[in-house]
Amino acid sequence: LVQEIETQAITAQREINVVKATIATKQSDVRKHELTTTEVKQLDADTKVYEGIGKMFMFAPTNNVQTRLSSDTAELKNDISNLDKKLHYLETTHKNSREHIDQIFKSGAR
């Protein structure tokens, strides 16, 4: 029983680290998208904008770029929100596992 709980705690800790790294990456992407959006909004409407597609660049109207950036940013923020919920669940699982292990050892020591 203790071994199963310990395994659960270790697994939860690993997943916590992965989720935190993923959140940090997505937050960085959100900042990049917001910065790019700010820069694109400052351009004139007739300015030619190019987007990278694989190894080439394709012309894209400024408003299309802004729309894509806005939708990508919203999607990233939604992902971050979901990851925050998952992180909370994993942290609770890890905490509860540790508490159960402590209880087992304390009750066994009596």
Side-chain angles (χ1 to χ4, degrees):
L1 179 64
V2 174
Q3 197 171 21
E4 289 176 19
I5 296 172
E6 183 69 24
T7 303
Q8 184 180 13
I10 291 169
T11 303
Q13 185 61 45
R14 283 187 190 138
E15 288 184 37
I16 286 170
N17 292 336
V18 170
V19 169
K20 284 182 178 180
T22 305
I23 288 173
T25 301
K26 289 189 182 285
Q27 286 174 335
S28 173
D29 289 345
V30 166
R31 285 191 297 271
K32 289 176 190 174
H33 279 70
E34 288 173 345
L35 178 62
T36 304
T37 300
T38 303
E39 293 297 321
V40 169
K41 284 181 180 178
Q42 293 175 1
L43 298 174
D44 294 332
D46 59 344
T47 303
K48 292 187 178 186
V49 179
Y50 296 89
E51 289 187 281
I53 301 175
K55 292 185 177 183
M56 65 182 212
F57 292 93
M58 296 281 298
F59 170 75
T62 310
N63 59 348
N64 289 4
V65 173
Q66 288 178 357
T67 303
R68 185 190 58 79
L69 287 170
S70 296
S71 66
D72 287 354
T73 302
E75 184 179 327
L76 286 168
K77 286 181 179 181
N78 186 35
D79 290 347
I80 290 170
S81 174
N82 291 336
L83 286 169
D84 281 335
K85 291 175 189 172
K86 183 176 180 179
L87 180 62
H88 177 71
Y89 168 78
L90 290 170
E91 287 174 340
T92 304
T93 302
H94 183 262
K95 179 179 151 242
N96 290 341
S97 296
R98 288 291 170 199
E99 287 174 358
H100 289 306
I101 290 171
D102 291 342
Q103 283 179 343
I104 290 170
F105 285 135
K106 286 179 184 176
S107 65
R110 290 182 184 170

